[in-house]
Amino acid sequence: MNFKEAIRVTETVYGEESLKGLLEGVKTLHDPVASTLGASGRTVIIEDIHGNPQPTKDGVTVAKNIVPLDSVERMGCEIIKQASKNTAEEAGDGTTTSTILASAIITAGLEAMKDKSVNYTDFNRGMKEAVDYVARQLDESSVAVTLDNIESVAAISANNDTELGSVIADAFKKAGEHGVVLMERSETSETYVSLTEGFELEKGYSSDVFVTDKETNRVEYREALVLISNVKIERLAQVEPFAEFAITNGHKALVIVADVEDSVLAALAMNKVKGNLKAVVVAPSHFGIRRKDILSDLAVSTGGRMIDEETGDNFDEYTIPMEASERQVALDLIATTLGEVRKVTIDKHKSVFFNDVSEECDIHIKVLMSQLKKEKNPLEKKFLEERIAKISSAVAVVNVGASSATEQSEKADRVDDAIHAVRAALSEGIVAGGGVALHNVSSLAQLMYDDSGNPAIDAGFMCVIQACTTPLQICLKNGDIVYNVSDFVQPNFGINVKNGERGDMIKMKIIDPVKVTKTALKNGVSAASTLLSTTTTIVNLRRA
């Protein structure tokens, strides 16, 4: 059979026409997403693929469903979506704020750059300086948060759902300071917290191809086998005996925690896609001796054994002969090397291995505790504490229930956002919510900023600073609140859009994680920078 090479036909759009299309795409995305911001954010009804209405107040869900017909507009829309996606991946929340900031910066930037004397390179430098300035100011004004006062963070991120906020806060309290909190869909209409044991590794899947749940962008397997190696896997033949063992033992999933050559990774991904093997590759965390320690801890947690050249291990030992007597010996060796877990959940940045704490784990923890008592080096003490927390920590699962699949999907998105927001708050603290923190920084910057002597740098800096007032304005607009900008000069002063009460936002428990706010601004500026520097777009021609 003869195959013809597919020909890609494109159209090039230049100058103002290109920019006009990109901006229209930004506006198409911005307006509906912005309408969901804040406690009084409005509902957006989305028609699903079957024509059924799906009401939501989740900005991410709204953005996902906006796809302009025009190709240039669609690219403008997708660039802003990518900024929001990056914000979600880095901080877990702040996607709506990121979209709003990007749109405001682009609008102000284009106005500033109408002055032909404004050099884009210097303008861009000014924008980056503004991001650094705002981040420093937010860090200085942040307030530490503990497990005892995280309920407000969770509730606000879950679209001001106090009931969900309470459940999520309960999950974090049950997991403890070093524990892990995850989200799963419940098979009932109830939303509740379940507690189990687990080991968290700060590395996710090595390729998107391994994802099993496209909606949550995760890999999830039950009854999985775990291959742990401190030796790089360079040939597919080194993995084949373990893959064969997994297939012949109930077609279990094989989780490979090791450095893997690209060609081997591609082959495993292809076999996963074809359905020949349920597999996922996770790169080890840390380096050198610390990597070995973490892998060793994971091996104890899963009941397996780490393959390590320093102990004389070699992948050549793990061949499966044809002769029955020798074959059984080889299978027994593989069985004792592979770890096993009841369940594994892997996203882009972390992996959680679920198992009960065994007697071997208890002994291992006691050994580490003994080392911790003797250790004098502060850095080594911190690392030992991290290892003990990993191998002994609890995993709290928020099981999200609802009366319909549509409601459950929307609710699950909000819970996932809230879990990430709480993590961000615990790691870096909180600031006044509702856009107030960014507005305060903007007011201070406009009063204190000294001109650099370069008009383009100053224009870029002030473009970002002025855009920082936009989230507050939109929050108040969505709540039909009439306000005076001069009211918002006092630190943390704001308005509760739900009841009109005025005062200190932190005391009123209207707060945002500082990490989320900083990340939203950084990615918003990144997207704006890309669009402001664009003069040409090349799009695919599509048949009508």
Side-chain angles (χ1 to χ4, degrees):
M1 184 179 290
N2 294 322
F3 292 94
K4 291 183 179 179
E5 184 180 353
I7 298 174
R8 175 172 170 253
V9 182
T10 64
E11 178 184 17
T12 305
V13 185
Y14 299 96
E16 288 189 10
E17 186 182 352
S18 169
L19 194 55
K20 182 180 177 183
L22 292 170
L23 290 177
E24 194 60 40
V26 172
K27 188 176 188 306
T28 300
L29 182 71
H30 170 270
D31 293 352
V33 171
S35 72
T36 69
L37 185 69
S40 293
R42 307 307 172 90
T43 300
V44 175
I45 300 178
I46 301 165
E47 181 183 25
D48 70 16
I49 196 168
H50 303 294
N52 300 316
Q54 180 186 350
T56 183
K57 287 176 65 179
D58 180 53
V60 182
T61 304
V62 174
K64 282 179 184 175
N65 286 276
I66 296 174
V67 184
L69 185 62
D70 181 82
S71 296
V72 178
E73 290 179 21
R74 184 161 55 250
M75 285 200 289
C77 184
E78 289 300 324
I79 285 171
I80 305 299
K81 280 190 199 179
Q82 189 60 51
S84 296
K85 182 182 176 184
N86 290 342
T87 301
E89 288 178 352
E90 291 175 51
D93 197 10
T95 52
T96 302
T97 302
S98 189
T99 300
I100 289 167
L101 288 169
S103 179
I105 293 164
I106 290 164
T107 303
L110 286 172
E111 189 63 31
M113 291 177 69
K114 283 181 181 178
D115 182 348
K116 300 300 181 184
S117 66
V118 174
N119 175 278
Y120 172 75
T121 302
D122 289 338
F123 184 87
N124 192 45
R125 180 180 157 193
M127 289 199 295
K128 289 179 179 178
E129 287 182 4
V131 172
D132 293 339
Y133 172 83
V134 173
R136 287 196 303 272
Q137 295 299 319
L138 289 172
D139 283 336
E140 287 178 13
S141 63
S142 68
V143 176
V145 69
T146 66
L147 289 174
D148 294 327
N149 54 7
I150 58 173
E151 192 168 329
S152 297
V153 178
I156 290 168
S157 186
N159 278 62
N160 295 279
D161 189 323
T162 53
E163 187 178 337
L164 277 184
S166 177
V167 172
I168 293 162
D170 181 50
F172 274 91
K173 288 170 185 175
K174 284 181 175 176
E177 185 180 354
H178 301 294
V180 180
V181 177
L182 299 174
M183 183 276 296
E184 285 189 1
R185 295 171 192 267
S186 171
E187 295 182 0
T188 71
S189 60
E190 299 297 317
T191 297
Y192 60 95
V193 177
S194 58
L195 198 64
T196 185
E197 302 294 336
F199 185 102
E200 184 181 34
L201 193 68
E202 291 91 350
K203 284 286 187 176
Y205 47 76
S206 298
S207 169
D208 292 341
V209 176
F210 294 116
V211 169
T212 59
D213 187 334
K214 300 295 183 184
E215 194 165 338
T216 60
N217 214 31
R218 289 179 185 150
V219 177
E220 291 190 355
Y221 286 119
R222 294 186 183 275
E223 301 299 331
L225 299 172
V226 187
L227 172 60
I228 304 163
S229 175
N230 198 30
V231 180
K232 185 172 183 179
I233 299 173
E234 299 177 330
R235 294 174 288 110
L236 186 60
Q238 293 173 313
V239 181
E240 284 176 345
F242 300 97
E244 182 182 334
F245 185 90
I247 293 168
T248 55
N249 281 266
H251 199 62
K252 291 180 180 177
L254 179 63
V255 182
I256 301 171
V257 183
D259 279 329
V260 175
E261 192 69 44
D262 288 346
S263 59
V264 179
L265 183 67
L268 289 166
M270 181 184 66
N271 276 282
K272 186 267 178 186
V273 170
K274 289 183 176 181
N276 299 333
L277 176 67
K278 293 189 287 188
V280 58
V281 175
V282 177
S285 63
H286 297 79
F287 296 94
I289 189 65
R290 292 198 169 188
R291 168 179 289 191
K292 184 176 178 180
D293 286 339
I294 292 292
L295 290 179
S296 176
D297 294 342
L298 177 59
V300 172
S301 178
T302 60
R305 190 170 67 84
M306 175 182 65
I307 296 175
D308 186 16
E309 285 179 339
E310 289 184 16
T311 56
D313 291 331
N314 189 312
F315 272 106
D316 293 338
E317 298 175 50
Y318 297 95
T319 55
I320 303 178
M322 294 301 295
E323 290 188 21
S325 58
E326 295 180 6
R327 183 180 179 86
Q328 190 56 51
V329 172
L331 292 173
D332 289 343
L333 177 61
I334 291 171
T336 55
T337 301
L338 288 172
E340 189 163 5
V341 290
R342 288 185 287 105
K343 180 183 172 184
V344 63
T345 300
I346 304 169
D347 62 25
K348 194 167 186 178
H349 299 292
K350 71 175 181 298
S351 307
V352 182
F353 301 83
F354 294 81
N355 245 5
D356 296 325
V357 174
S358 64
E359 186 179 342
E360 288 77 9
C361 282
D362 286 334
I363 294 169
H364 191 63
I365 291 167
K366 287 175 182 175
V367 171
L368 294 177
M369 291 289 285
S370 176
Q371 291 177 22
L372 179 62
K373 288 178 183 177
K374 298 173 185 176
E375 185 59 59
K376 302 297 181 185
N377 186 315
L379 292 176
E380 289 303 318
K381 285 182 73 171
K382 187 176 179 182
F383 182 59
L384 281 166
E385 287 170 351
E386 177 190 337
R387 292 177 64 191
I388 293 165
K390 282 179 181 299
I391 202 165
S392 60
S393 67
V395 177
V397 180
V398 181
N399 299 273
V400 179
S403 54
S404 70
T406 300
E407 181 190 352
Q408 187 181 48
S409 180
E410 191 270 341
K411 198 173 178 181
D413 284 340
R414 290 191 287 124
V415 169
D416 202 38
D417 284 350
I419 289 171
H420 283 88
V422 171
R423 283 200 198 111
L426 288 168
S427 67
E428 295 189 26
I430 55 171
V431 289
V436 167
L438 284 173
H439 189 280
N440 285 347
V441 174
S442 175
S443 299
L444 180 66
Q446 292 184 61
L447 286 172
M448 305 296 291
Y449 183 66
D450 290 328
D451 289 350
S452 67
N454 184 320
I457 291 176
D458 295 338
F461 185 93
M462 293 311 298
C463 170
V464 172
I465 293 300
Q466 288 163 5
C468 286
T469 65
T470 313
L472 171 64
Q473 293 169 9
I474 290 175
C475 273
L476 296 174
K477 178 185 175 184
N478 288 344
D480 295 322
I481 300 290
V482 178
Y483 65 98
N484 190 328
V485 176
S486 61
D487 292 340
F488 293 87
V489 176
Q490 302 171 43
N492 300 331
F493 174 85
I495 302 173
N496 184 338
V497 296
K498 294 175 79 174
N499 56 23
E501 183 183 351
R502 296 165 183 251
D504 188 304
M505 297 292 270
I506 292 178
K507 289 180 180 177
M508 290 191 289
K509 296 185 177 180
I510 301 171
I511 50 187
D512 285 328
V514 68
K515 181 178 179 180
V516 169
T517 307
K518 290 192 301 184
T519 306
L521 177 63
K522 181 192 75 173
N523 288 316
V525 169
S526 175
S529 175
T530 300
L531 286 172
L532 288 172
S533 67
T534 300
T535 56
T536 305
T537 50
I538 300 172
V539 298
N540 296 326
L541 281 178
R542 294 168 173 83
R543 294 180 180 178

